[in-house]
Amino acid sequence: MTPPCVSQKRAAFRELHRSGCFVLPNPWDAGSAKILAGLGFKALATTSSGYAWSCGRADGQLSRAETLAHMRAMVDATGLPVNADFESGFAETADGVTESVGLAVETGVAGISIEDSTGDPNKPLRAIGESVERIRAARAAIDAKGGDTLLVGRAENFFVGRPDLDDTLLRLTAYADAGADCLYAPGIKTRDEIRAVVSAVAPEPVNVLIGWDSDLSVQDLADLGVRRISLGGALARAAWGGFMQAARSIAGQGRFDGLANVPSGAELNSLFDERSSSD
């Protein structure tokens, strides 16, 4: 089977945002991407934290060049469209965001998320006016490359310890007006918060993060009007959790029961055997 080209991936990704609700899981390397593709997911998203951990670094410590290289690798890993966690655009100025997003589009990703966080715990959010300018810069960069890459505007209030719903809604509606195709407020959890975000930016699609043991199901979120559900670094944390539990049992207790119920080498070889891959 001939793998889909970049334009086909982007068209398929946009179509997913037109109606219904889909889960957008976040692999951190080619292997986890192939597993998720094999499970039937329709699209994937990168995770800055998951990839950073796999490199032995904390989230936010990777360079733009390293992130772009990872994005290319994830695009090439499967035939699925990939949404890129592009942090805050790897630039301090709007012109820098334009340059960075232009480079990101060239990796072949189907979507790009831009955050409004600063990385400074004393002033964790950019001013709305500055953030809007940066979304406009990202929009211009995408349009200059053909306009088919989806732009996601992120309001980081709840993620950075500023859980102000009114300010979140103000930011998201401003980002939609500035050209964001999809809106995202990571960290909102309650039904009322989710309803408020969906209502504020309608008819634009909304992404909700579920990175914890939530009582909300996919159907619950669909009923609330959510268009897509991402997992952030949760799957990477689940993998690290299993690894750490097994290793600690061996190191601390001399026991190997943490290796129970793990897949066999033969099973993994079968999943990754390119001769039998349909991607």
Side-chain angles (χ1 to χ4, degrees):
M1 179 184 297
T2 303
C5 66
V6 169
S7 62
Q8 290 172 322
K9 289 182 180 181
R10 289 174 175 165
F13 194 52
R14 282 191 169 271
E15 189 61 31
L16 286 171
H17 290 75
R18 297 191 195 285
S19 62
C21 180
F22 68 100
V23 177
L24 185 68
N26 303 68
W28 58 94
D29 61 10
S32 54
K34 287 179 180 291
I35 292 291
L36 293 169
L39 290 172
F41 290 101
K42 302 300 183 184
L44 305 173
T46 66
T47 160
S48 63
S49 60
Y51 181 54
W53 299 330
S54 75
C55 296
R57 286 190 255 170
D59 190 15
Q61 292 186 344
L62 296 176
S63 69
R64 183 177 76 176
E66 290 170 313
T67 300
L68 290 169
H70 175 60
M71 288 160 57
R72 291 188 194 95
M74 297 303 284
V75 167
D76 292 341
T78 76
L80 297 181
V82 173
N83 191 100
D85 176 353
F86 205 48
E87 302 185 41
S88 59
F90 294 91
E92 287 303 314
T93 66
D95 287 344
V97 171
T98 299
E99 178 188 29
S100 290
V101 171
L103 293 171
V105 172
E106 292 173 358
T107 68
V109 293
I112 297 172
S113 300
I114 298 293
E115 305 171 3
D116 57 8
S117 58
T118 65
D120 178 357
N122 296 315
K123 188 181 178 182
L125 293 171
R126 298 181 190 275
I128 292 181
E130 180 187 1
S131 299
V132 166
E133 184 181 8
R134 293 164 69 85
I135 291 292
R136 287 184 179 139
R139 176 80 269 159
I142 289 171
D143 291 346
K145 298 289 185 179
D148 58 348
T149 306
L150 193 114
L151 175 60
V152 183
R154 292 178 47 150
E156 301 291 297
N157 302 64
F158 283 75
F159 233 34
V160 298
R162 298 291 190 273
D164 183 333
L165 183 60
D166 289 339
D167 187 63
T168 299
L169 300 179
L170 185 64
R171 288 171 178 273
L172 293 178
T173 53
Y175 302 162
D177 290 341
D181 301 298
C182 179
L183 290 311
Y184 182 15
I188 60 172
K189 294 184 177 183
T190 70
R191 286 169 169 80
D192 287 344
E193 290 166 349
I194 294 168
R195 283 193 197 96
V197 168
V198 170
S199 176
V201 303
E204 302 301 334
V206 168
N207 183 102
V208 166
L209 171 70
I210 300 293
W212 46 86
D213 183 13
S214 175
D215 66 337
L216 294 169
S217 67
V218 172
Q219 187 59 57
D220 290 334
L221 290 163
D223 291 342
L224 290 169
V226 173
R227 191 59 46 82
R228 71 182 212 185
I229 305 160
S230 61
L231 307 178
L235 291 176
R237 288 188 284 110
W240 280 107
F243 168 85
M244 292 166 68
Q245 180 179 2
R248 283 170 174 163
S249 179
I250 296 168
Q253 303 169 31
R255 297 179 58 86
F256 302 96
D257 48 357
L259 302 178
N261 303 315
V262 301
S264 68
E267 181 181 353
L268 291 172
N269 285 336
S270 176
L271 289 170
F272 294 132
D273 190 340
E274 293 183 354
R275 293 170 298 181
S276 60
S277 173
S278 59
D279 287 330

